[in-house]
């Protein structure tokens, strides 16, 4: 098999100071990130990847995304380490975007300045809320002023390309005003905003609290109202709603994420990371210690893989197309699919223009449901 050349790389940084009660990501709780252990483990994985021959890093890398976890917990030297790991010579002129995630409490001046020097040109800051009791409920360590401070620190270090993450659909018990959080987010004037609805995973403290009746998640109507309120506020302020969860000022759309939405190949390094070398999708073990033990011996941390079949690929194409502003070609949907799209349009869930079907914000509220509906008639 000829190795797939990848020019987009995701690197997972697993450490968090504590686990937020709703989080089921591949996270290792540590007060201080182990940057040396992390880089050594990633280097071991990269050697195993090269030996295996499924992927080969392209001579020129286009996009890098360091996510977590809390990458900023790894401190100032982390991104220079990532550059050395991937090869400085590969991160030259062709590099279109290098994003790193940061949480407000660990985005210090020295972290921001060192990351910028290392070549990171986009920061994704997990602000989530400006409401102190909500931040405490979420287990976050930054205070109500944390977001503004983080954005100031980032800009002072030379970052123009900033994205901020906000969470919605939190239980009413938090007492959070969604309107206030939206207004303070707009005041940050970041060129990119990502919006995530709280999802209750059964194997988390929040999931258990909900099962025991100690917490009450919002109902579908409240979820819909908050989402639509955010869409109206952000679009009213000039942001383009270009993907179900993402908003950007024109020209500031995330480049790396579009790789996932286009079905392009990518390499994911780190515990729990996924990679895609069409038609093979593979993912690593989630547990940091297991990942580390294997990679330090240059063994592959792969947990499993699947070959994406034609049927699964068609389903995925529907899902990826509907979640972005790109939409789907109406012609490719056949008679039954086009009839369904027309019915969605009549219900305000989609538009049909220029031969393409695109979901509206109302449609994106029920995206998963619409994907299933369409796949039943187009890719049964
Ligand atoms: S900071 Fe993010 S990754 Fe870390 S525990 Fe909280 S939600 Fe999970």
């Amino acid at each position: 098999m000829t190795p797939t050349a990848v020019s987009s790389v995701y690197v997972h940084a697993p450490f968090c100071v504590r686990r937020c009660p709703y989080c089921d990501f591949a996270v290792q709780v540590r007060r201080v990130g182990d940057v040396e252990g992390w880089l050594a483990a990633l280097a071991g994985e990269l050697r195993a990847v090269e030996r295996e021959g499924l992927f080969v890093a392209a001579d020129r890398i286009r996009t890098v995304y360091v996510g977590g976890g809390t990458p900023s917990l790894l401190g100032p030297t982390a991104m220079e380490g990532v550059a050395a790991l991937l090869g400085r010579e590969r991160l030259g002129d062709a590099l279109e975007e290098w994003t790193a995630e940061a949480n407000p409490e660990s985005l210090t001046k020295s972290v921001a300045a060192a990351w910028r020097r290392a070549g990171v040109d986009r920061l994704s800051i997990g602000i989530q809320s400006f409401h102190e009791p909500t931040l405490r409920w979420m287990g976050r360590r930054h205070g109500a002023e944390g977001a503004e401070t983080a954005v100031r620190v980032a800009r002072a270090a030379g970052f123009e390309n900033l994205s901020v993450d906000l969470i919605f659909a939190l239980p009413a018990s938090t007492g959070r005003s969604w309107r206030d959080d939206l207004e303070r987010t707009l005041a940050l004037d970041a060129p990119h905003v990502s919006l995530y609805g709280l999802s209750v995973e059964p194997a988390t403290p929040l999931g258990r609290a909900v099962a025991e009746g100690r917490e009450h998640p919002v109902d579908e109507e409240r979820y819909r109202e908050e989402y639509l309120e955010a869409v109206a506020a952000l679009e009213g302020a000039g942001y383009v709603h270009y993907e179900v969860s993402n908003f950007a000022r024109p020209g500031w759309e995330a480049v790396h994420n579009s790789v996932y939405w286009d079905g392009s190949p990518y390499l994911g390094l780190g515990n729990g990371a996924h990679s895609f070398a069409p038609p093979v999708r593979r993912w690593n073990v989630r547990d940091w210690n297991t990942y580390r033990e294997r990679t330090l011996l240059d063994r592959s941390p792969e947990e499993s893989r699947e070959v994406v079949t034609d049927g699964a690929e068609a389903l995925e194409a529907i899902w990826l197309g509907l979640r972005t502003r790109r939409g789907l070609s109406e012609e490719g949907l056949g008679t039954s699919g086009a009839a369904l799209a027309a019915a969605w349009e009549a219900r305000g869930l989609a538009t049909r223009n220029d031969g393409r079907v695109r979901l509206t914000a109302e449609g994106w509220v029920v995206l998963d449901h619409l994907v299933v509906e369409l796949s039943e008639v187009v890719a049964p």
Side-chain angles (χ1 to χ4, degrees), residues 12-27 29 68-70 101 103 105 128 138-140:
H12 186 67
F15 307 114
C16 286
V17 176
R18 66 167 82 143
R19 184 178 278 278
C20 301
Y22 55 90
C23 178
D24 77 337
F25 295 161
V27 157
V29 174
T70 310
E101 292 179 355
N103 279 1
E105 73 280 0
Q128 315 308 345
M138 293 177 70
R140 294 297 170 130

Side-chain angles (χ1 to χ4, degrees), residues 341-355:
W344 288 351
E345 186 178 42
R347 290 164 56 203
L349 302 174
T351 59
R352 290 152 64 230
N353 293 312
D354 319 322

Side-chain angles (χ1 to χ4, degrees), residues 38-346:
W38 179 63
L39 290 169
L42 292 171
E45 177 175 7
L46 210 46
R47 284 192 292 274
V49 165
E50 280 162 8
R51 210 177 39 243
E52 182 191 38
L54 181 60
F55 289 101
V56 62
D59 291 344
R60 295 283 176 266
I61 290 178
R62 251 186 81 220
T63 64
V64 179
Y65 192 107
V66 184
T70 310
S72 45
L73 199 58
L74 287 159
T77 59
M79 298 304 138
E80 193 52 56
V82 170
L85 178 84
L86 297 177
R88 259 284 163 220
E89 66 290 353
R90 290 197 175 101
L91 301 174
D93 295 345
L95 187 66
E96 289 176 43
E97 183 186 274
W98 180 353
T99 302
E101 292 179 355
N103 279 1
E105 73 280 0
S106 44
L107 184 64
T108 60
K109 285 182 190 168
S110 66
V111 166
W115 286 13
R116 188 74 195 91
R117 278 198 304 276
V120 177
D121 61 3
R122 182 172 183 271
L123 285 182
S124 173
I125 306 176
I127 65 174
Q128 315 308 345
S129 175
F130 296 80
H131 182 240
E132 194 85 43
T134 295
L135 291 166
R136 298 290 80 77
W137 180 89
M138 293 177 70
R140 294 297 170 130
R141 292 174 66 86
H142 65 276
E145 309 301 321
E148 281 112 354
T149 308
V151 166
R152 226 179 7 256
V153 165
R155 286 194 169 124
F159 287 99
E160 275 183 83
N161 197 350
L162 298 177
S163 181
V164 294
D165 284 3
L166 263 190
I167 193 163
F168 70 101
L170 297 179
S173 61
T174 58
R176 177 240 207 142
S177 160
W178 183 225
R179 170 54 46 188
D180 285 356
D181 273 355
L182 287 173
E183 281 172 7
R184 286 183 74 171
T185 301
L186 292 179
L188 295 174
D189 198 25
H192 192 279
V193 177
S194 297
L195 202 62
Y196 298 104
L198 177 72
S199 98
V200 180
E201 304 299 333
T204 60
L206 177 63
R208 288 188 284 281
V210 168
E212 291 162 12
R214 289 181 282 114
E215 280 292 358
H216 304 283
V218 297
D219 60 18
E220 284 177 12
E221 187 48 29
R222 183 68 201 148
Y223 184 100
R224 174 180 166 276
E225 282 169 8
E226 288 197 5
Y227 181 75
L228 295 179
E229 189 178 349
V231 171
L234 288 159
E235 288 187 338
Y239 290 85
V240 178
H241 192 185
Y242 72 100
E243 195 264 349
V244 57
S245 302
N246 287 291
F247 302 78
R249 296 221 183 270
W252 296 87
E253 296 83 0
V255 182
H256 181 86
N257 289 358
S258 69
V259 169
Y260 305 141
W261 304 328
D262 290 350
S264 303
Y266 55 88
L267 172 63
L269 300 172
N271 56 308
H274 286 231
S275 302
F276 186 44
V280 177
R281 187 184 309 287
R282 62 169 217 166
W283 52 95
N284 288 344
V285 290
R286 279 171 61 92
D287 177 65
W288 160 248
N289 289 320
T290 311
Y291 170 84
R292 188 169 161 275
E293 279 160 22
R294 286 200 200 172
T295 53
L296 289 182
L297 295 171
D298 287 1
R299 287 173 47 211
S300 168
E302 178 176 321
E303 180 173 88
S304 193
R305 65 171 65 190
E306 64 185 12
V307 174
V308 180
T309 61
D310 289 348
E313 197 182 333
L315 183 63
E316 214 161 275
I318 289 174
W319 188 69
L320 293 173
L322 286 183
R323 66 181 290 168
T324 62
R325 185 49 59 221
R326 195 177 71 239
L328 292 171
S329 153
E330 191 163 2
E331 202 183 326
L333 299 180
T335 316
S336 316
L340 184 60
W344 288 351
E345 186 178 42

